[in-house]
Amino acid sequence: MARRYQDVSFAIVDYSQSELEGRPRNVRGLLFKEQEAGYLVGYLAGLITKAEAGTKQVVGSVGGQKIPPVDRYIAGYQAGAEAANPRITTLNAYSQDFVDQAKCKELALDQISRGAHVVFQVAGQCGLGALSAAKEKNTWGIGVDADQAYLGPHVATSALKKVDVAVFQTIQEVDAGSFNGGEDTVFDVASGAVGLGEIAPTVPREAVAEVKRVQDEIAAGTIAGIPATVAD
């Protein structure tokens, strides 16, 4: 459609303009540094585990499929947890599904049985099963993309990707006549388009203050080079 209607501006979420066939010059890719949001929730998970989990210092994550947006979240999560808590062990698994909640619940239950004190879901609707497992086993869950605190007090926080912010800012550029295709815009903590959701009130206040300090350091560029790929 972009090639057919070259006088129309297009934007595409979670896909780079450079990867489109023919690289149409009227398309802008809207990408996100999910690894920054992942780092923040991982840092919080590491602190919670350090404070509450005793000798079993383990956190887990359940991804839908091994694709770049999912892995950016998980890579950041693992790096953040390890930065906050050098004793931490990170577990990770993929359900190969973004819908079937039973698949994600089974993986989360396995990780919890191996000591995971916090489980991060990165699997869309399937990931609701991972959060259900956390509730069932009285451990912590972390939501993804949208703020999933509404699911209950077992949700420590969520890694937010504010697609609404990215789309709105892009529409503003079109309205102002400053929209340019042929490239990508990458949204991050500094732009307010990725970050933390509501933090559960029972999370230790010291941990909340520490992770907010880390968020400020990411926005300022003091913390940089957060990994975006998960080691096989």
Side-chain angles (χ1 to χ4, degrees):
M1 290 300 101
R3 291 194 299 273
R4 181 180 299 180
Y5 300 103
Q6 296 186 21
D7 59 342
V8 176
S9 297
F10 289 82
I12 181 168
V13 173
D14 281 345
Y15 205 90
S16 174
Q17 181 271 347
S18 66
E19 296 178 6
L20 292 171
E21 183 180 349
R23 298 185 178 185
R25 303 297 300 172
N26 56 329
V27 178
R28 176 180 286 270
L30 307 183
L31 305 179
F32 299 83
K33 287 191 174 181
E34 291 96 346
Q35 64 268 33
E36 292 186 351
Y39 189 93
L40 289 172
V41 298
Y43 204 95
L44 186 64
L47 293 177
I48 291 172
T49 303
K50 183 190 293 185
E52 298 179 350
T55 59
K56 284 194 173 182
Q57 297 288 301
V58 183
V59 296
S61 53
V62 176
Q65 293 181 351
K66 189 174 176 58
I67 57 176
V70 170
D71 271 7
R72 285 194 289 268
Y73 272 128
I74 293 170
Y77 175 76
Q78 293 177 339
E82 291 166 0
N85 184 352
R87 293 176 53 209
I88 208 79
T89 296
T90 60
L91 306 175
N92 183 51
Y94 300 92
S95 63
Q96 305 303 329
D97 197 297
F98 285 100
V99 178
D100 188 345
Q101 295 184 28
K103 292 180 181 179
C104 286
K105 185 171 184 177
E106 181 180 358
L107 292 174
L109 287 172
D110 175 68
Q111 292 179 358
I112 293 167
S113 74
R114 294 160 63 192
H117 189 66
V118 183
V119 177
F120 178 32
Q121 81 96 344
V122 195
Q125 183 177 331
C126 175
L128 296 177
L131 298 181
S132 174
K135 181 178 182 179
E136 183 177 302
K137 295 299 182 180
N138 198 31
T139 58
W140 290 104
I142 293 177
V144 75
D145 288 342
D147 194 332
Q148 296 184 309
Y150 67 91
L151 293 170
H154 62 292
V155 177
T157 190
S158 302
L160 298 188
K161 179 164 71 174
K162 301 178 183 178
V163 175
D164 56 338
V165 171
V167 171
F168 184 70
Q169 290 181 6
T170 302
I171 291 170
Q172 286 182 311
E173 290 181 6
V174 173
D175 188 54
S178 59
F179 177 92
N180 292 311
E183 57 188 16
D184 298 327
T185 301
V186 181
F187 297 89
D188 55 11
V189 165
S191 66
V194 302
L196 288 167
E198 180 182 343
I199 299 176
T202 50
V203 170
R205 294 300 92 188
E206 298 83 1
V208 175
E210 181 71 7
V211 79
K212 288 187 175 178
R213 177 190 63 78
V214 169
Q215 181 171 261
D216 290 341
E217 291 184 353
I218 292 173
T222 307
I223 296 176
I226 297 171
T229 57
V230 177
D232 293 327

